[in-house]
Amino acid sequence: MGGKAFKDINIVRMNDREFKKISSKIVLALKSILKSEQVSVLPYYGNKESFSDVDIMLCIEDIQQFEKEKHVNFFQYCNEIFSGKGISENSDNLTSIAVPINKEHTAFAQVDLMPHLRKDFSKNLSFFAYNDLNVLVNRFISVPLLNA
């Protein structure tokens, strides 16, 4: 997350209009690919002027099955549908794809795809929203109580 998954690809910050255009295109495609209605862009602050990436949560039934199948089908679909130039994975179940935002394919948006189990989807959508609200919440609950 944060638009830093790709070192050799020109990932650019997106203005609000570009962000919404890319987000809606990707969400529609992913709903079709995954045959799921629960594909959501993480909530963000309404007055945010620019974006370094698009964070999307995917609702899945079985994480092991998803991991097994994604290398066969999912990445192929992402590359075909989004003309993705790159795919990057990290150890936190996060997959990033580089999606062109211009016709020349010289500028790209980083799209971070985060699979979550159906039972945890709504809770995690809230937890990861608003620029990692989870970081603030974790700091607050880990602070020892004074005068306890």
Side-chain angles (χ1 to χ4, degrees):
M1 296 169 80
K4 296 183 174 130
F6 301 98
K7 301 204 183 332
D8 299 331
I9 296 175
N10 183 29
I11 302 294
V12 298
R13 291 192 72 82
M14 296 164 278
N15 63 35
D16 186 56
R17 184 185 56 78
E18 292 167 326
F19 177 84
K20 287 177 180 171
K21 181 179 176 184
I22 293 283
S23 297
S24 63
K25 175 183 173 183
I26 292 170
V27 166
L28 285 174
L30 288 171
K31 284 181 178 182
S32 174
I33 291 167
L34 297 172
K35 298 179 180 32
S36 171
E37 284 301 307
Q38 286 190 289
V39 175
S40 298
V41 174
L42 286 182
Y44 58 91
Y45 297 108
N47 62 350
K48 192 169 179 177
E49 293 180 10
S50 68
F51 302 80
S52 60
D53 62 8
V54 179
D55 296 319
I56 297 180
M57 279 186 52
L58 313 171
C59 181
I60 59 171
E61 297 296 331
D62 180 340
I63 199 85
Q64 278 90 15
Q65 188 66 24
F66 177 79
E67 288 295 318
K68 192 180 345 176
E69 291 176 355
K70 82 175 177 183
H71 292 286
V72 176
N73 297 323
F74 188 68
F75 286 164
Q76 179 182 344
Y77 287 134
C78 286
N79 274 329
E80 287 172 11
I81 290 173
F82 308 135
S83 303
K85 184 173 180 179
I87 295 173
S88 171
E89 295 181 82
N90 75 19
S91 59
D92 297 329
N93 267 346
L94 175 73
T95 299
S96 299
I97 58 175
V99 178
I101 62 171
N102 62 11
K103 291 177 184 170
E104 301 78 28
H105 290 210
T106 56
F108 294 82
Q110 178 177 313
V111 178
D112 294 335
L113 307 173
M114 301 169 284
H116 290 268
L117 294 175
R118 180 174 305 285
K119 68 181 183 71
D120 301 324
F121 187 80
S122 294
K123 172 187 66 171
N124 289 349
L125 187 61
S126 297
F127 191 67
F128 287 103
Y130 302 106
N131 296 7
D132 293 324
L133 179 60
N134 60 335
V135 174
L136 181 61
V137 171
N138 278 331
R139 286 185 184 152
F140 178 74
I141 63 174
S142 66
V143 173
L145 293 175
L146 298 175
N147 301 323

